């Protein structure tokens, strides 16, 4: 009788570990896009700002002169 309880406990522990690892992997997968801007040097944020600037230029929200001026400021 005691062995049966130990076996059930071990089986439950294994399932808890499997589910825990699955949840951990899912959370890592979900959080990955948010880690892109974590760079302490600021290069990821700078690249993001340049991307936004290019998109604004491509949509015609700013002209070429504004684009070049803002690009020079961001690349400092």
């Amino acid at each position: 009788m005691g062995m049966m309880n130990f076996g059930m406990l071990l089986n439950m522990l294994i399932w808890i570990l499997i589910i825990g690892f699955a949840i951990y992997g899912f959370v890592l997968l979900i959080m990955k896009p948010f880690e892109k801007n974590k760079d302490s040097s600021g290069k990821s944020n700078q690249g993001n700002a340049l991307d936004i600037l290019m998109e604004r230029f491509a949509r015609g929200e700013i002209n070429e002169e504004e684009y070049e001026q803002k690009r020079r400021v961001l690349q400092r």
Side-chain angles (χ1 to χ4, degrees):
M1 193 82 162
M3 272 308 240
M4 190 170 123
N5 288 335
F6 179 73
M8 287 174 45
L9 183 64
L10 186 62
N11 191 16
M12 190 168 56
L13 181 64
I14 290 171
W15 276 108
I16 289 172
L17 286 172
I18 290 171
I19 292 170
F21 279 121
I23 291 171
Y24 178 71
F26 182 72
V27 168
L28 285 180
L29 187 66
I30 295 297
M31 295 304 290
K32 190 168 182 107
F34 298 109
E35 292 178 3
K36 190 187 313 182
N37 293 331
K38 265 187 159 176
D39 189 15
S40 61
S41 67
K43 292 193 181 213
S44 291
N45 290 332
Q46 180 186 20
N48 191 22
L50 286 171
D51 291 341
I52 293 169
L53 183 63
M54 280 195 294
E55 289 175 13
R56 290 185 63 202
F57 179 63
R59 287 193 298 256
E61 293 177 11
I62 58 175
N63 60 27
E64 186 175 359
E65 183 180 322
E66 282 181 282
Y67 170 77
E68 289 298 327
Q69 178 186 14
K70 292 176 191 293
R71 184 182 58 81
R72 281 192 298 270
V73 170
L74 288 173
Q75 288 181 336
R76 288 183 191 170

